[in-house]
Amino acid sequence: MDLDTRNTLYDQAKKWIMEAGAIIKDQIGAPLEITTKSNPNDLVTTMDKNTEYFFVNRIKREFPNHLIISEEGYGDDLKDLEGTVWIIDPIDGTMNFVHQKRNFAISVGIYHDGIGEIGFIYDVMDDTLYSAKRGGGAYKNDFRLPTLPADRKITESIIGMNHYWLCENRLVDETVMQHFIRTIRGTRLYGSAALELAYVAEGIIDGYITMSLAPWDIAAGLIILDEAGGISTNAWGADINLLSTNSIVACNPSIQSQIIDDHLQKGRK
């Protein structure tokens, strides 16, 4: 993708994201129709569906040759990432949206032939936009995020982790993970994978680990984190597949081997 195309897509996507965020904020107190998907805690609302349709309708009208991977069913059924592909989560952190009316985000990643070109994560209620263009650095609003420090120690690290999978985890031995938690400085759980990836890019947490995320949960965050000097793989250090669910280790590169080699690989079931 050439620079002019990247800049055009960036400006258009940002405009739509801010418009969608304004609609959500305007309707935040309206009654919601809430249903469930894979389990009783996997929530979807009319706002999720309406926001996804907002993006799909505009993308297909403005860029008819572009393809879409999205959470709520309005996207395309893709077998590869050839061409320009938008990967969208209209509301990442739906449970937070339902219960807290905050701590959720719009997540939009744009890929071309499998390469991450543009990423946006918009914390709607906080009015904070994390963004990145390939080769242009990562930003929080208008502030360019500094490159992550190269000397982070695992014993001084705060790691975002989903506590639920620590209880139900069938991939890593629980005693190994207990040792890991005792080794690091602390854990945090925010309830939005997109925001947690943005926080790793910002450096306010040092890593994020989870055992099952869909492409729309992570697509934008991977681009933003990469531009901030972070690194993302699956739990075993392999490349992430944006056409399927993945385990995720996203972190400051200086602690990656201590997470994967010293703990996850050793505890792998």
Side-chain angles (χ1 to χ4, degrees):
M1 181 180 290
D2 62 63
L3 181 60
D4 287 343
T5 301
R6 190 182 305 125
N7 288 339
T8 297
L9 287 178
Y10 179 94
D11 291 342
Q12 184 63 82
K14 180 179 178 180
K15 179 177 182 290
W16 287 338
I17 287 165
M18 302 310 290
E19 289 175 0
I23 293 170
I24 292 172
K25 282 188 278 192
D26 184 61
Q27 299 180 13
I28 194 69
L32 289 171
E33 179 184 328
I34 303 169
T35 56
T36 61
K37 294 187 285 188
S38 61
N39 63 68
N41 295 325
D42 188 7
L43 305 180
V44 62
T45 71
T46 50
M47 187 63 76
D48 293 83
K49 295 177 180 179
N50 291 344
T51 304
E52 180 168 303
Y53 184 76
F54 172 94
F55 283 105
V56 172
N57 181 54
R58 284 157 178 77
I59 293 166
K60 291 298 186 182
R61 183 181 63 206
E62 190 73 21
F63 306 109
N65 294 327
H66 291 190
L67 299 168
I68 300 168
I69 297 173
S70 54
E71 183 170 14
E72 308 305 341
Y74 293 111
D76 301 296
D77 183 16
L78 302 186
K79 304 301 181 185
D80 57 52
L81 292 176
E82 292 183 7
T84 301
V85 180
W86 298 59
I87 306 180
I88 300 169
D89 194 338
I91 297 181
D92 185 75
T94 300
M95 189 178 294
N96 290 349
F97 172 71
V98 170
H99 287 269
Q100 302 173 0
K101 308 299 184 186
R102 62 184 307 109
N103 299 321
F104 61 89
I106 298 171
S107 176
V108 177
I110 304 175
Y111 286 71
H112 184 73
D113 292 339
I115 297 172
E117 297 283 353
I118 296 164
F120 287 104
I121 295 170
Y122 182 44
D123 184 335
V124 174
M125 303 310 293
D126 197 42
D127 195 27
T128 299
L129 181 67
Y130 296 90
S131 65
K133 287 184 282 189
R134 182 169 63 87
Y139 287 79
K140 178 182 181 181
N141 293 329
D142 295 326
F143 172 73
R144 180 164 178 165
L145 297 176
T147 301
L148 295 176
D151 57 351
R152 179 64 68 212
K153 298 177 181 178
I154 193 71
T155 53
E156 298 174 354
S157 295
I158 295 176
I159 306 296
M161 301 177 70
N162 186 324
H163 301 150
Y164 178 78
W165 70 256
L166 290 176
C167 301
E168 299 292 330
N169 180 23
R170 296 180 176 85
L171 298 178
V172 183
D173 183 80
E174 58 270 19
T175 59
V176 172
M177 293 311 300
Q178 290 168 8
H179 177 267
F180 174 72
I181 291 170
R182 287 193 294 269
T183 299
I184 62 178
R185 177 162 283 172
T187 65
R188 295 293 183 270
L189 173 61
Y190 296 96
S192 164
L195 288 177
E196 302 207 52
L197 289 168
Y199 296 160
V200 179
E202 188 178 356
I204 58 176
I205 61 175
D206 302 292
Y208 175 55
I209 305 173
T210 191
M211 288 299 155
S212 181
L213 286 178
W216 44 80
D217 297 315
I218 58 175
L222 299 183
I223 299 169
I224 295 169
L225 179 57
D226 182 68
E227 288 296 322
I231 191 167
S232 306
T233 66
N234 72 10
W236 323 120
D239 291 341
I240 293 168
N241 180 359
L242 285 173
L243 294 173
S244 67
T245 58
N246 296 264
S247 58
I248 297 293
V249 174
C251 62
N252 184 309
S254 61
I255 62 172
Q256 185 198 34
S257 66
Q258 295 169 83
I259 296 174
I260 294 177
D261 299 336
D262 296 350
H263 290 92
L264 297 181
Q265 286 282 17
K266 287 184 177 180
R268 189 172 184 175
K269 293 180 180 179

